[in-house]
C-alpha cells in the first residue's frame, strides 16, 4: 500500500456534501484519504444505496471506471471535509511495469473482490443484528467516522432499526 501512497499526485480538499465523482462520469483516479470521510453510493432514481465508506488512511476508487475508462454509476461524496491525495491512473500504470508491483496490485484487487463478496453474502443471508455485529467487528471506528443514517443505509436497515439494535 505504501508504494501506492508514495506515487506522485496532487492533494485535493472537498467540502462536506461535495461530490468527488458523479453518476455517469469517468474517473480514472485513485484516492488516498488523508483526513475526513466519504461515501460511495448509487442512486437508482428513487433511493440511494451506500456501497462503501472511506476515511483516514483508506484508498477509494470508482473501480469500474478506473479499470475500463468508461462512465460509472457510482457516486462519491464527502461526508465531512475531506483531504485526499489524487493518484492518476497513469502513475499506477508506471508502477505496474515492475513485476513485484503487479503482484501487490493483484493482491489489492483480490482483497477488494473478496470483501465485496463477503458484504453481498452478509446482506443476503444475515439478520440485521448479525450485519451490525460483523461491521462492528470489521470496522470498529465506523461509528466515530460516519453518521448513523449512512451506516443504516449501508447495512440495509432503517435508522430506527439500527438505533434499536445498538441499544440491545
Amino acid at each position: 500500500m505504501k508504494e501506492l501512497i508514495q506515487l506522485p499526485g496532487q492533494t485535493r480538499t472537498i467540502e462536506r456534501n461535495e461530490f468527488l465523482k458523479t453518476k455517469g462520469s469517468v474517473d480514472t483516479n485513485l484516492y488516498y484519504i488523508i483526513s475526513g470521510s466519504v461515501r460511495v453510493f448509487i442512486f437508482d432514481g428513487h433511493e440511494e444505496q451506500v456501497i462503501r465508506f472511506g476515511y483516514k488512511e483508506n484508498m477509494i476508487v470508482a473501480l469500474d471506471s478506473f479499470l475500463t475508462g468508461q462512465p460509472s454509476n457510482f457516486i462519491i461524496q464527502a461526508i465531512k471535509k475531506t483531504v485526499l491525495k489524487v493518484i492518476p491512473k497513469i502513475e499506477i500504470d508506471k508502477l505496474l511495469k515492475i513485476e513485484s508491483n503487479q503482484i501487490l496490485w493483484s493482491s489489492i484487487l483480490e482483497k477488494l473482490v473478496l470483501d465485496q463478496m463477503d458484504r453481498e453474502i452478509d446482506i443476503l443471508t444475515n439478520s440485521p443484528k448479525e450485519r451490525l455485529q460483523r461491521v462492528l467487528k470489521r470496522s470498529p471506528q465506523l461509528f466515530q467516522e460516519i453518521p448513523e443514517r449512512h451506516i443504516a443505509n449501508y447495512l440495509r436497515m432503517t435508522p430506527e432499526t439500527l438505533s434499536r439494535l445498538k441499544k440491545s
Side-chain angles (χ1 to χ4, degrees), residues 12-141:
R12 179 173 172 195
T13 300
I14 54 174
E15 298 299 324
R16 180 176 182 259
N17 294 327
E18 187 178 342
F19 293 96
L20 179 63
K21 190 208 163 310
T22 57
K23 181 179 180 175
S25 64
V26 174
D27 190 351
T28 57
N29 294 316
L30 184 84
Y31 302 96
Y32 176 75
I33 300 173
I34 298 167
S35 65
S37 58
V38 300
R39 66 186 180 126
V40 180
F41 66 100
I42 58 171
F43 181 69
D44 67 4
H46 302 289
E47 62 183 314
E48 298 173 353
Q49 295 294 325
V50 176
I51 307 296
R52 182 174 299 276
F53 297 110
Y55 35 84
K56 187 177 179 176
E57 299 177 353
N58 285 171
M59 291 278 194
I60 203 84
V61 63
L63 191 58
D64 58 343
S65 190
F66 182 86
L67 293 173
T68 67
Q70 298 297 311
S72 171
N73 287 324
F74 292 116
I75 302 164
I76 303 175
Q77 182 182 33
I79 293 172
K80 55 186 171 184
K81 184 176 180 176
T82 303
V83 179
L84 309 145
K85 180 173 182 180
V86 181
I87 304 167
K89 188 173 195 287
I90 191 165
E91 295 299 331
I92 292 173
D93 290 343
K94 287 179 193 174
L95 180 79
L96 294 178
K97 289 183 179 176
I98 300 167
E99 187 174 338
S100 61
N101 292 335
Q102 293 171 8
I103 295 167
L104 167 71
W105 183 246
S106 290
S107 68
I108 290 170
L109 291 177
E110 285 173 11
K111 182 172 178 359
L112 275 171
V113 169
L114 292 173
D115 287 350
Q116 190 61 36
M117 289 171 62
D118 282 346
R119 176 169 155 59
E120 289 176 20
I121 291 167
D122 197 30
I123 289 170
L124 293 171
T125 62
N126 291 327
S127 70
K129 184 175 184 177
E130 291 169 320
R131 292 195 302 266
L132 176 59
Q133 290 170 339
R134 279 184 52 112
V135 81
L136 285 171
K137 183 179 176 186
R138 202 171 49 239
S139 304
Q141 74 280 26

